[in-house]
Amino acid sequence: MAPQQLDLFNQPTLGTIVRDIKAAMNQAVKDSGKSREQVLDLLNAMAARYGMRLNGKGGLSKDTFEKWLNIEDGDRMPSIKGITIFCAVLGTIRPMETMVKLLGGQIIEGKDVSLLRWSKRYHQAKDLRKQMRELESEL
């Protein structure tokens, strides 16, 4: 991931979380190279495949989808199911990452998962070697 210049006056807060998630969703749609209509069709298809209702019996409407993406509309937000399907359809974790970062967490993916697993095992082995040295010194 490329370095990002942070804006001191535009940092995410609990008060801006809806706007920030919607901004991340908008960026994901732009980055996908698909039209909003194509993304909407994919959302409805995946929701139907997994038996998940996004909004009403007829699926997610274009109007509701546009409200999900409207950063000025703080009242209409997709459900957790909606965000999950959205992320799956577009192959992104950015909207979820926005929520997690606000709480001080971090989402890792790809090679970082293996690197974290290796690092944990490395430090476990290092601690065990230290314990072994201490036991040997007692003998």
Side-chain angles (χ1 to χ4, degrees), residues 32-61:
S32 74
K34 296 174 175 49
S35 70
R36 288 178 181 237
E37 291 78 17
Q38 290 172 319
V39 172
L40 177 61
D41 290 343
L42 292 169
L43 286 170
N44 281 323
M46 183 174 278
R49 184 175 343 143
Y50 290 99
M52 299 171 78
R53 288 181 35 192
L54 295 177
N55 189 39
K57 293 179 184 176
L60 186 64
S61 69

Side-chain angles (χ1 to χ4, degrees), residues 53-119:
R53 288 181 35 192
L54 295 177
N55 189 39
K57 293 179 184 176
L60 186 64
S61 69
K62 185 174 192 301
D63 287 340
T64 301
F65 184 56
E66 290 297 331
K67 290 173 186 173
W68 280 11
L69 297 176
N70 182 354
I71 62 172
E72 300 302 324
D73 185 349
D75 295 328
R76 293 178 188 90
M77 182 71 192
S79 65
I80 292 297
K81 290 187 296 187
I83 293 174
T84 302
I85 290 175
F86 179 89
C87 289
V89 161
L90 294 180
T92 183
I93 58 170
R94 185 159 268 152
M96 290 183 183
E97 187 176 40
T98 301
M99 289 185 279
V100 171
K101 277 185 176 180
L102 178 65
L103 300 172
Q106 182 179 7
I107 295 177
I108 61 168
E109 59 184 329
K111 288 185 178 183
D112 288 341
V113 173
S114 297
L115 183 59
L116 178 61
R117 198 175 300 130
W118 174 85
S119 176

Side-chain angles (χ1 to χ4, degrees), residues 14-28:
L14 285 174
T16 64
I17 189 65
V18 171
R19 183 201 70 204
D20 298 334
I21 291 170
K22 288 183 175 202
M25 291 173 70
N26 272 292
Q27 191 61 49

